[in-house]
Amino acid sequence: MEKFATHTGVAAALKRSAVDTDQIIPAVYLKRVTKTGFEDALFANWRQDPDFVLNQPAFAGASILVAGADFGTGSSREHAVWALRDFGFQVVLSPKFADIFRGNAGKQGLVTGVIGEDDLEAIWAAIDAQPGIEMTVDLHERTAVLGELRVAFDIDDYTRWRLLEGLDDIGLTLRNEDKIAQFEARREAWRPRTLPVR
Amino acid sequence: MSTTISDRPRTLAEKVWDDHLVVKGENGEPDLIYIDLHLVHEVTSPQAFDGLRAEGRPVRRLDLTIATEDHNTPTLDIDKPIADLTSRTQIETLRRNAAEFDVRLHSLGDKEQGIVHVVGPQLGLTMPGITVVCGDSHTSTHGAFGAMAFGIGTSEVEHVLATQTLPLKPFKTMAITVEGELKPGVTAKDIILAIIAKIGANGGQGYVLEFRGSAIRSLSMEGRMTMCNMSIEAGARAGMIAPDETTFAYVKDKPHAPQGQDWDDAVAYWRTLPSDEGAVYDAEVFLDAAELEPFVTWGTNPGQGVSLSDVVPDPASFADPNERAAAERALQYMDLRAGTPLKEVPVDAVFMGSCTNSRIEDLRAFASVIEGRQKADNIRVMVVPGSARVRLEAEAEGLDKVFTAFGAEWRFAGCSMCLGMNPDQLAPGERCASTSNRNFEGRQGKGGRTHLVSPLVAAATAVLGRLASPSDLPAVEKVGA
Ligand code: SF4
C-alpha cells in the first residue's frame, strides 16, 4: 500500500445520500475471482445513465468523490472499496460514513474524510460553478482546498497514521517481522510441514 | 520476552494460544498468533492471492500451506471439464495461483484430493497442539486433535499467506461435559445435534467449546471430528477435544506425522495439553450420555432438532417469540405439520457425505446397516467419500460393492450435496436425510429440505424411505444362514 500525504485531483460531486454498497458495486460483480479490475463495476447501474456525474467529460479521471451523508451503508463487501480505488478514487469526503465501509477503506488506502454539512454544500456549489476543478487533500493537515474554499475534515488518528505510513493490515503485522522470525526459529521440529511431499 | 505464563491452571485452549503468541497485544490490541497449518481451497482464496500479487508479496511459508479442490468439484465424470462457468473459473484460478506461488495443490483426480477438512487429518498434518486456519467455517473439525482450528475470511487468508500469523483477541472458553455411556445406535453426530439443540444455534458465540467427559473420550477420532466440525453450528469459533491415546494412535504413521525422536518429543508435549485440574471456563454445560437418542433436525437451523422418536414440535410450545416465529417459518419451508411423528416423514433423497461424516468410519457405519438390503423405491441415495483416499480405502474393503448392490450411487470425493455449489443438488421441494452439517433454506439446492442425521439414521432411512433408525429395521435374512 502506498503512503498517502497529499493528493491533488479532480473532485466530483455525488449528490445523493445513503449511497449503499449495492449501488457502489452491484452483487453480480462479486462472483469475480480478483481483488483488482473492478473499475467497470463502480456505480454500474447509475453509469448506464449518460447524465450520471462520472459520465460527464469534465469529471473523467476524477479522483476525489464528494458525496452526501451515510456513504457506504449496506452489506459489508470489501469490493465497494476496491471498485472506488480501481476507478481511480483516492479520497471520499462525506458528512457520514458507514462504519464497516470506513474500516475497509482505511485498510485499502482510500481516505475517508468526514466534513460538515455546510462544507458539503459549499464544495458542491464550487464544483457546480467550475466543473472539473481540482482539489488538494492534505492528510497531515486534514484539509481539503479547492479554489478559494478551504475545508477541514475529520479522520481518526489511527487510520490517518496508517494511511500516512502506507500500512495495510499485512504491512502492520510485518512491522513485527523480527518477532515472527524469532518465533519460527524456536518452533519445534515435530510441527507439521506440508513439504516435502511424502 | 514480555510474555510471562503464570502458574495458574489453564485450559487446553489457553495452552495452545499461549504457545503461539508471537506478540502479546498491549492496551486492548489483539495478540499476534502464529499459524502452524494453513489449508486453502478454491472458494475463499482467489482474492487473497490477487492481493499478494498486487502488493508483490510472496507466500511466507509454502511448507505450512496446502491447497485442495472441493466445493465446486463434480463427483461424476471428473475427467471432463466443469460445466458451470463460475465453478470452473474458481478451480482454474486456484490452479493458476498455486502454480504461480508454488503452493502444494491436490487437484481433482489426484489421490489426496478431497474435502479440505478430510485431507488435513488423513495426511497427518493435523495434530495436537497446533493452530490451523482455513477460509472455511468448518475448520473447527481439526480441533478434534486438540488443535486450535478456526475459519477465517478472505482478507485473513491473504494475511496468513503473507505473514503466517493473525492478529486475534483471545476467545472465551466453554466446557461441554458429556458423561456416561451412549446407548447402541447413538453416535457423535447425535451428541453434537443434541448439544446444539440445548445451547442454541448461537449459544456458542464468541467461545471455544471444549468437549470433555467419558462419553467424548470413548469416541473414535472420526466421531470427535464430527463433533468439532459442528461446533460452528452452535455459533462457536472453534471446538476442541484434549488429545489422548486415541489421538496419538490415529496420527502415528500418517504420511506427515513426526517420526523418531520428533515423535517422542511431540507426544511428550501433547501429554501436557489437557486442561489443568481447576482450570476455569467462562461457561459450563453438562449432558448425560445415557439419555441421548438418535437425533434429527426438523427445521432450518441446526438448533431445531429433536429425538428421532419425537414428533414435530408445535411452534406454540416455544416461549420465546423469536423462536416461535422461526419455528413457524421453518415448518412452512419444511412442509411439516406439528405433531407428526418424525419417523413418519418420508424422504426423496439420502446424502451420505460432507466433512461432518464422510470418513472411512462413517462409510463403514452406513454400510453395516444397509448390507444385504435394498434401498426404498423412489428415493435416490448418494454416498460421497470425503477424499479420494477414503474412496480408495472403501473400495479396498469392498464397501463400494455394498453401496451399489443396495442401489446407492457411489461417487468421487468432494463437498457434493452438502451445499448447492456443484452439480449435486436437491430439486425444489425435495426432502433429504443428510449427514452434512447445515439445514439452512436452500443449502442443498434451491427449495431443498434438509434433515440432519447421523450415518446410521441416514442408512436406516435409505432402507425404509422415511426417517428411521437401525433399530426400526427388520433383521436381514442372511443367504444360506
Ligand atoms: S463438506 Fe460442506 S461444510 Fe464441509 S467444507 Fe464442504 S461445503 Fe463446507
Side-chain angles (χ1 to χ4, degrees):
Chain A
M1 196 166 113
E2 300 217 353
K3 293 185 182 182
F4 190 107
T6 65
H7 169 74
T8 300
V10 171
L14 184 63
K15 294 187 180 175
R16 296 175 195 248
S17 57
V19 174
D20 64 48
T21 51
D22 265 289
Q23 304 301 335
I24 300 173
I25 178 167
V28 291
Y29 294 95
L30 308 189
K31 280 192 183 170
R32 292 191 180 167
V33 289
T34 58
K35 196 177 171 177
T36 50
F38 284 91
E39 54 274 5
D40 60 323
L42 181 70
F43 301 127
N45 295 334
W46 292 344
R47 274 162 73 195
Q48 291 172 10
D49 171 5
D51 292 336
F52 180 63
V53 53
L54 296 182
N55 290 333
Q56 311 295 313
F59 300 107
S63 58
I64 300 167
L65 192 67
V66 187
D70 293 318
F71 189 86
T73 53
S75 100
S76 63
R77 59 189 70 157
E78 286 178 71
H79 302 69
V81 175
W82 303 343
L84 285 159
R85 185 200 56 200
D86 291 348
F87 189 84
F89 284 109
Q90 303 212 19
V91 180
V92 182
L93 299 178
S94 167
K96 192 164 187 279
F97 290 94
D99 283 340
I100 296 179
F101 175 84
R102 253 197 129 180
N104 289 341
K107 292 176 178 184
Q108 303 283 341
L110 180 71
V111 174
T112 50
V114 177
I115 55 177
E117 287 280 358
D118 293 351
D119 290 332
L120 174 72
E121 297 295 337
I123 295 173
W124 280 356
I127 295 172
D128 285 346
Q130 197 184 328
I133 187 174
E134 290 201 334
M135 180 188 271
T136 296
V137 173
D138 186 327
L139 187 57
H140 261 292
E141 301 292 327
R142 307 184 206 218
T143 56
V145 176
L146 87 169
E148 300 290 294
L149 190 64
R150 183 187 168 88
V151 166
F153 65 81
D154 258 348
I155 186 164
D156 68 275
D157 289 336
Y158 178 71
T159 307
R160 174 167 161 270
W161 167 75
R162 285 181 64 162
L163 289 161
L164 288 170
E165 297 290 324
L167 291 170
D168 58 5
D169 280 348
I170 292 173
L172 213 56
T173 292
L174 288 176
R175 290 168 71 240
N176 282 308
E177 192 164 6
D178 53 334
K179 300 227 174 66
I180 299 174
Q182 284 164 20
F183 184 95
E184 286 176 331
R186 57 171 198 271
R187 259 177 108 243
E188 299 87 341
W190 58 261
R191 290 191 183 265
R193 289 203 195 281
T194 60
L195 300 173
V197 178
R198 269 188 248 150
Chain B
M1 292 293 297
S2 60
T3 55
T4 44
I5 308 297
S6 69
D7 293 335
R8 82 183 161 78
R10 291 180 298 157
T11 62
L12 164 65
E14 288 173 300
K15 292 181 191 185
V16 177
W17 187 278
D18 289 344
D19 286 349
H20 289 83
L21 211 46
V22 176
V23 181
K24 176 108 189 97
E26 310 279 341
N27 311 319
E29 293 281 305
D31 293 342
L32 191 63
I33 295 295
Y34 198 80
I35 304 302
D36 284 314
L37 180 62
H38 187 188
L39 309 168
V40 174
H41 65 74
E42 78 274 9
V43 180
T44 48
S45 66
Q47 266 106 2
F49 283 111
D50 209 43
L52 292 185
R53 196 177 292 119
E55 297 288 333
R57 290 172 171 142
V59 175
R60 181 179 178 88
R61 293 296 298 261
L62 291 166
D63 60 339
L64 305 183
T65 310
I66 184 169
T68 173
E69 302 168 357
D70 52 12
H71 285 63
N72 286 281
T73 50
T75 56
L76 275 182
D77 298 331
I78 60 167
D79 47 345
K80 304 225 175 75
I82 298 174
D84 180 80
L85 192 61
T86 309
S87 291
R88 194 191 327 155
T89 307
Q90 287 191 354
I91 298 257
E92 284 174 355
T93 305
L94 177 61
R95 290 179 187 171
R96 262 202 318 278
N97 285 331
E100 178 182 336
F101 287 88
D102 239 359
V103 169
R104 172 175 173 187
L105 167 67
H106 294 294
S107 281
L108 200 54
D110 181 309
K111 109 165 172 286
E112 302 295 353
Q113 178 266 340
I115 308 173
V116 68
H117 310 308
V118 177
V119 170
Q122 81 185 10
L123 282 172
L125 289 166
T126 304
M127 53 181 81
I130 65 169
T131 47
V132 185
V133 297
C134 174
D136 190 285
S137 54
H138 291 98
T139 309
S140 58
T141 311
H142 308 263
F145 291 77
M148 172 82 77
F150 48 89
I152 56 178
T154 297
S155 33
E156 291 172 303
V157 171
E158 182 180 339
H159 199 110
V160 175
L161 286 172
T163 71
Q164 204 59 38
T165 63
L166 270 183
L168 291 169
K169 299 225 165 130
F171 309 129
K172 292 181 289 180
T173 53
M174 183 188 292
I176 299 187
T177 308
V178 190
E179 290 287 353
E181 211 174 312
L182 293 170
K183 288 184 212 150
V186 181
T187 67
K189 182 69 165 273
D190 304 306
I191 306 178
I192 187 67
L193 283 171
I195 289 171
I196 299 166
K198 184 178 169 106
I199 69 173
N202 292 315
Q205 210 145 30
Y207 289 98
V208 171
L209 312 182
E210 185 186 329
F211 302 109
R212 43 188 315 183
S214 57
I216 305 297
R217 281 197 303 279
S218 72
L219 295 177
S220 67
M221 285 314 294
E222 285 89 347
R224 296 177 189 190
M225 284 189 256
T226 300
M227 292 205 55
C228 289
N229 174 277
M230 288 195 72
S231 316
I232 206 77
E233 269 59 56
R237 266 321 287 271
M240 294 178 92
I241 293 172
D244 58 12
E245 298 307 322
T246 304
T247 323
F248 308 152
Y250 183 95
V251 176
K252 192 158 176 41
D253 300 326
K254 289 272 185 301
H256 285 266
Q259 291 177 357
Q261 186 61 45
D262 287 346
W263 173 260
D264 296 340
D265 293 347
V267 174
Y269 170 70
W270 295 344
R271 287 189 198 285
T272 69
L273 288 172
S275 295
D276 296 327
E277 190 85 32
V280 179
Y281 297 87
D282 298 300
E284 297 210 43
V285 172
F286 295 90
L287 260 82
D288 181 354
E291 285 180 3
L292 297 176
E293 289 186 42
F295 223 75
V296 59
T297 60
W298 50 266
T300 51
N301 83 51
Q304 293 173 321
V306 291
S307 290
L308 183 59
S309 51
D310 255 329
V311 297
V312 176
D314 185 346
S317 66
F318 292 95
D320 180 296
N322 289 327
E323 278 187 40
R324 193 182 317 142
E328 278 166 9
R329 263 201 320 278
L331 291 195
Q332 188 169 20
Y333 181 84
M334 294 295 290
D335 191 25
L336 290 173
R337 214 168 285 147
T340 309
L342 280 148
K343 287 190 177 174
E344 288 176 12
V345 174
V347 302
D348 306 298
V350 170
F351 171 58
M352 172 67 214
S354 91
C355 61
T356 314
N357 285 119
S358 63
R359 298 176 181 82
I360 189 69
E361 193 195 55
D362 301 309
L363 299 188
R364 286 183 195 137
F366 189 86
S368 72
V369 175
I370 63 165
E371 186 157 23
R373 303 180 192 266
Q374 280 299 309
K375 78 167 181 67
D377 292 339
N378 303 324
I379 72 167
R380 55 180 173 139
V381 180
M382 256 171 64
V383 182
V384 187
S387 70
R389 202 185 262 266
V390 170
R391 185 179 152 97
L392 291 175
E393 259 181 282
E395 290 180 351
E397 295 179 17
L399 298 183
D400 58 322
K401 302 265 175 351
V402 177
F403 301 139
T404 47
F406 175 67
E409 298 173 46
W410 172 236
R411 297 294 189 95
F412 286 89
C415 294
S416 185
M417 209 197 266
C418 175
L419 89 173
M421 201 175 220
N422 56 68
D424 304 343
Q425 304 202 12
L426 291 179
E430 268 192 317
R431 184 184 302 281
C432 179
S434 175
T435 63
S436 59
N437 47 41
R438 285 194 171 149
N439 54 344
F440 303 148
E441 290 186 15
R443 167 76 177 184
Q444 295 191 283
K446 203 163 178 244
R449 301 180 174 125
T450 304
H451 294 276
L452 299 178
V453 296
S454 72
L456 293 179
V457 171
T461 301
V463 175
L464 294 182
R466 54 178 173 80
L467 293 172
S469 77
S471 59
D472 300 323
L473 300 180
V476 187
E477 287 174 33
K478 290 251 159 56
V479 181

